[in-house]
Amino acid sequence: MSIEIQVVDDPAQVCADALSVAAATGADIVLTGGSTPQHAYELAAAQQPQAWQGAKLWFSDERCVGPDDELSNFRMVKGALLDPLAASDVRVDYCRRILGERGFEQGAVEYERELEHIGGGPGAIRFELVLLGVGSDGHICSMFPGQESLSERSRLAVGVPQAGLEPFVPRVTLTFSALSRAKRVLVLATGAGKADPIAAAFADDAPRTEHVPASLLSEHVEDIVVLLDEDAAARL
Ligand code: 6PG
């Protein structure tokens, strides 16, 4: 297991480059929601559109709303990445969004089915790269502090009836069982508001605890890169 902390001037740019490299392999990658990754998607689409031809995209989590809703993670990714790529004549046909509009239980069941079968047969799915953000409460994907999703060990995706943080809509989230299929997880966080959760999750002496979901990543993933700006790294 390795956790590499990288503190850089422009994490979104470094993230955009890493995503484009992973996308260009044609292997499955996982995108996430949140405002921090959005800029990375915009940069990737503008700078390296051809890398995304043939990309295979999945999502870390979704709010239980329709794909056009302003809370939808898919909608954000579409606006920041897929639409600009299409404008450059790059169409990503293999984009497996979570059907949030089906509700948290059914949405999770259907996503898991896709992961199991479209991902290459039961148990076969592997991710080249999983991108994650970290919430101010230390959540990753839509696994919030103290919630049942954190101890799920067999299902790849589960429903989250109650979000631990705004927006308070039910969610569907990948589990640690799914994240453990990643060759590498890239955690992206910027700004002073992330200094506490980043320290609580990744400082050398940080305990692994369900109070800080991101701290549990290292129990499940071999290769973790934490990409930060100086503000987010301030308490490490
Ligand atoms: C979501 C996200 C979530 C996000 C973090 C960080 O749907 O809310 O997938 O896990 O990555 O909350 O979000 P910010 O970058 O906006 O702080």
Side-chain angles (χ1 to χ4, degrees):
M1 187 273 295
S2 88
I3 302 181
E4 182 190 342
I5 309 280
Q6 288 184 18
V7 184
V8 299
D9 288 340
D10 191 351
Q13 182 64 65
V14 177
C15 178
D17 292 341
L19 285 172
S20 296
V21 168
T25 67
D28 295 85
I29 66 176
V30 177
L31 303 179
T32 198
S35 53
T36 319
Q38 182 170 353
H39 188 44
Y41 302 147
E42 290 164 351
L43 290 173
Q47 295 169 350
Q48 302 189 57
Q50 293 308 323
W52 293 78
Q53 194 85 55
K56 293 184 179 166
L57 306 183
W58 298 89
F59 286 78
S60 67
D61 61 323
E62 185 56 279
R63 290 89 182 262
C64 289
V65 295
D68 299 325
D69 192 288
E70 61 178 25
L71 294 178
S72 163
N73 284 339
F74 171 76
R75 181 177 188 260
M76 184 277 279
V77 170
K78 184 172 181 296
L81 180 69
L82 302 176
D83 289 347
L85 287 176
S88 297
D89 277 337
V90 174
R91 262 160 238 293
V92 181
D93 297 325
Y94 189 114
C95 178
R96 304 291 167 190
R97 77 173 180 88
I98 298 171
L99 302 181
E101 65 272 31
R102 301 274 165 92
F104 63 91
E105 281 171 345
Q106 191 60 21
V109 166
E110 291 187 20
Y111 208 53
E112 185 167 37
R113 200 176 293 147
E114 289 217 6
L115 284 160
E116 288 286 12
H117 295 287
I118 298 173
I125 188 79
R126 293 286 179 274
F127 302 116
E128 178 71 16
L129 185 70
V130 173
L131 176 63
L132 298 179
V134 176
S136 56
D137 58 352
H139 80 262
I140 48 171
C141 303
S142 278
M143 293 189 283
F144 294 93
Q147 291 196 344
E148 272 176 38
S149 55
L150 296 168
S151 42
E152 177 59 50
R153 293 292 174 269
S154 53
R155 294 188 62 187
L156 298 176
V158 294
V160 179
Q162 209 169 5
L165 208 63
E166 283 189 278
F168 293 109
V169 288
R171 319 282 184 99
V172 173
T173 185
L174 294 188
T175 61
F176 282 120
S177 178
L179 298 181
S180 71
R181 283 110 185 293
K183 197 158 142 192
R184 167 172 287 183
V185 169
L186 180 60
V187 178
L188 174 67
T190 58
K194 298 293 164 76
D196 282 338
I198 287 295
F202 299 113
D204 285 341
D205 56 352
R208 292 173 178 176
T209 164
E210 293 208 343
H211 298 300
V212 184
S215 73
L216 301 174
L217 252 188
S218 57
E219 287 183 354
H220 304 276
V221 177
E222 281 299 308
D223 180 356
I224 302 168
V225 174
V226 185
L227 191 52
L228 307 171
D229 64 1
E230 277 192 12
D231 288 341
R235 302 218 166 82
L236 281 176

